[in-house]
Amino acid sequence: MPLVQCQPAGRRGSNKTQLHLLLLFLSVLQTHGYIIIPPDYKYYNLKQAPKITVQPVSHTAFSLDDVNLACEGSGDPAPSFRWVKDGKEFRRELFESGTLTAEVKEELRSYQGSYRCYVANELGTAVSDLAHLITEPIPTLAKEKRQKTRSFEEGESAVLYCNPPKSSVTPKIHWMDIQLRHIPLNERVTTSLDGNLYFANLIVNDSREDYTCNAHYISASVILPKERISISVTPSNSVVKNRRPQLQKPAGSHSSYLVLRGQTLTLECIPKGLPTPEVQWERMDSPLSPARVRMLKYKRWLQIESVSEADDGEYTCTAQNSQGSVKHHYSVTVEAAPYWTRRPEDHLYAPGETVRLDCQAEGIPTPNITWSINGVPIAGTDSDSRRHVSSGTLILTDVQYSDTAVYQCEATNKHGNILVNTRVHVVELPPQILTADGLVYKATEGQTALLQCHTFGSPQPKVDWEIFNSGPALANAKMSQTSDGNLQISDVSEDDSNMYTCSVRHSNRSISAELQVLNRTKIVDPPQDLRVLRGDDAVLQCKYTVDHKLKQPTIQWKKDKHKITSSANDDKYSEYTDGSLKITDVQMEDSGIYSCEISTKLDSVSATGSITVQDKPGSPYSLGLSEKKDRSVTLSWMPGAENNSPVSEYVIERKEEQNPEKGRWEEYRRVPQDIRHLEIHLQPYNTYHFRVRAVNGIGMSEPSPPSDSYSTPAAKPDMNPENVTTVSTDSNSMVITWQELEQRQFNGPGFKYKIYWRQASGSSPHWKESSASNPPFIVNGTGTFIPFEIKVQAVNELGVGPEPDAEIGYSGEDLPLEAPSEVAVTELNKTTVLVRWSPVSMESVRGHLLGYKIHLRKKGPRTHSRRSLPMQEPAADRNRVIVVHGNKVEMVVSDLQFYSNYTLTVAPFNSKGEGPHSKAYHFSTPEGAPGPVSFLTFESPSETEMTLRWGAPNKPNGVLTGYLLQYYEPVPGISSEQLMESINLPLDTEFTLKGLNPQIQYHFMLRALTAAGDGEPIEIEGATLLDGEPPSAINIEAGQTSVNVSWVPGERQRNFAFSFRYLKKREGGEWEESEKVNSSQAFYQLQGLTPGVQYHLKIHPGNNSWEFKTAGPELHELPSSFATQGWFIGLISAMVLLLLVLLILCYIKKSKGGKYSVKENEEDQVNGAHTKKDGEFGEYNDNEKCSTNQQSVCESKSSSNDSLADYGDSVDIQFNEDGSFIGQYSGRRDPNGHATHGSSGATSPINPNMPPPSISFPTSVTGFLGPN
């Protein structure tokens, strides 16, 4: 913010009496302006024109002491004071204080008049407000005759007049009795503005002789009591006691009031009548505002404080009782004495400037505005073309030092006048640069930088800017100079970083400034527009880059332009250092526009994204049923909220009450999203409920509330059961079955099935029938596999279903009687054959021929060799059953084993089972190539040898003749066949290759051989192993008592055994050695080390060594002496154990002797209770003697006392299961807080840790030996 500002001369503000507190402001405007000396401008002995600080106030003087017109002022030099009375000089000039008081010899009335005070010094004269002084004697009471008692009849109204002495000061009236108690006021009895006491109606209790009016003249400090008034009220004998309301004040039906703006208006409405009337106030043109209007004196007064022009208007008062009402109209006219709407202010001005003093006032009628200079009207001064008045504004052009003065603006109308003094001071001040030298300005690329050079002087100084080693700054098109002297550089870049100099023209004053241009803050990964499922978490990115010279920026996230704050108590929002914002468990209300703002001290950048929370749609609602028919109803619904994912379809669900299987909700139909009603077809004799779900891209909504139930009437069945067939199992019966109808298809009560059957051969044209409630239905005595016509019809109490179609069924089947003949096998290849046979006759099948079954059995290989025994085959591989469906009489059988013997048979089968098998047919398969060897491994006994081992093939498929080993070195770009070396091997299962190259990785292939050919190869890759060696590089991680050693085993190295040797790095240590370690382990842990000790570590065999130090503090051993020898430690341990045994025996003996009878103790207390003082009942006195059976308890007062108080927290009190006291003291404290050990009880099971015995003995070896 610039330190010097421009503002119009007419700007409102408080005057500053001390110039060093004035705000810094521009000294020059384009056409006119004023200056304000900034706080950091150094100046001396600046004079000030006079200013009135205390104004005289109009008042009434009742004595010479009351004549006091205050007038105080300030200025530099100190001002003088003079008074003007009624336009004439009054008295002599005053100094230090201008307050005017009366002379003792003067008469009071000589001071009455209008006064002004003039305060002057060499810079001008200030004029006070016009003050009016009224003089009059102190009010007094004239002698009055005592009034006669006034008589009234009960119910009449009355007025008691006060008539206080007249004065320019309105007295305050108090109606009191002779005992100076106020007369109670209420709705019936009240006072008016003129001080009179009004009774709306009199009662007998109003009779009294001491009604007294007291007039209090506050400024005269006098209270005048009027003569007492006596009234007598007699009961009324009138038949008609009630009276219509009338107004006692004001009189008539209309009155007018003139009130000035800012004054207080009080309207009176004092009625009379019986019963006491109620008063209501109204404003004719608008309602009364409770904030503006107050009701006083029980609504008899309406008062408006600080009246404004808006209060001008018509008001009414209505007084009403049971007998009628009366109304009065008030016309209120508001006028105004002059008041300021714009006042000129005191300012400093530079020579040659234009001064504009705006002076505006309002009033009713419109006031007249006049100007004076130092108390002299402008009209009475010499004319000056540089000075003129326009619409109340005084304009001074090209001001000079001689224009320094106090100017008065006065506004006057018939209601008064107001005056304001304005000080105009034309000064010349030397130029100064107020901005500090050597300031460093920072800006980011693209910003506008403002290098400040605030100056002050009168007239305003002019400055020039230069760039270090580049000349004038204004030569650069990006640079400009503001009116207050600052250098503005737009769109700054790194090239603008430099030193700049500001100099005041025609002086030697200058300052320098440095500009540093930093990288602009950027958002490199702004927040995106996210679509999030409700309940998931959302992360909005806001990654940014900031110049390294700037501190960590401030990151502010906003949602819909409202700030987001995260707290430890609320995990809804989480902000991360990279700028991202995580929103946990997003809900629908989290949808909105999100923005992140990255702010540094120099710049800020923001980016926006959005979150759209999606969810399953809201449930449809307002389900309705219409167009209700016997077989259909129309369902309608209203869609729910889409939740930011459009609805794609609606799912209609229904529930049927009459069907137990369908008594749950099931999906009925899906319809597109634009359908809101659907005709639903129904079954008779059912009760339905419906509900609807909505589906969008997120999922399915919760179901809508169910619709009203709808029931359909019963009807005959619409359909018959389907899939009527026979499933007979008994050869002399027929089982008829069908697919049952669903319960909702029964269509009515009393549902059942009617079954019809007859032989299909036509021997019995008549249908036999029966009924059943459910399938199956069994017909007995049918014979074996006889065809029948069958049909099933649905029936209920309302009728039968449609006529069903007849189906053909059969009675039960039996096993076939014949076996296939002429079985033959033809070889197709070594593992596939074609099997043929002759079919059986259909009569022998005794049922439906389902096909044939080929039973194939493998007997084993044709020959057996000890070297080629096959593995045991599972039964499923040895015995196979091939099923041939239908009437086929041949079948291809494949997947036979090489070099095996087989036997097969063929049998027909029906649903009852298989018939007899054909004669067995035997055949064999030829020899084939063997399968792969079962395994292949290798080991390397030396760097040039490799031993291969393998197992015979699981499937030799013939007689093995040997093995073929092939190997080669893989070379890129050369085929393996060109490099292959082959070796024919006998039937052994291992072979050693010698003379191999240790640097080569070989590829091996091994296959078995039979007379039929080569088997499938098994392949591996490998190389010979090198001689092993101990590790040369190890990694050490030391703990307190162990160290972890790890290494990387060498590639292709045989296992090597070594050990670790370690030595404490101090005098007298010996090397220790670990167990043997294999080089392939790669890890070993040395244990049993000493914490905080430096060690040497070596590998044996080998010459490498390492050092490490175990963690933890070093444990110092005792000096070697006889105390550390084993025999001495054993001796001391035996002695300690013996002392413990003796101590326990003594303690047990002492405990047995310390017991005493609780009963005797209680009896002693009862017997001694009569001799104790009050307050000592139930306690043992220290001076009492101990009974003989309590000697062990009373041995010492300090060692055993029956009070539990001394034990504090160490008392361990126990109770038996019945609540009786077991009470054992586990320890006690003496008054000094030290533990004592005189307890006579056994160790508490709750606190078993007993304090040590009083006998001291060593508890460690060092206890005997003393310190080292």
Side-chain angles (χ1 to χ4, degrees), residues 305-319:
E305 294 181 346
S306 187
V307 170
S308 67
E309 289 84 345
D311 298 318
D312 189 291
E314 296 287 329
Y315 298 80
T316 62
C317 161
T318 302

Side-chain angles (χ1 to χ4, degrees), residues 393-405:
T393 299
L394 176 62
I395 300 176
L396 306 174
T397 59
D398 190 21
V399 294
Q400 304 300 324
Y401 300 116
S402 59
D403 293 318
T404 298

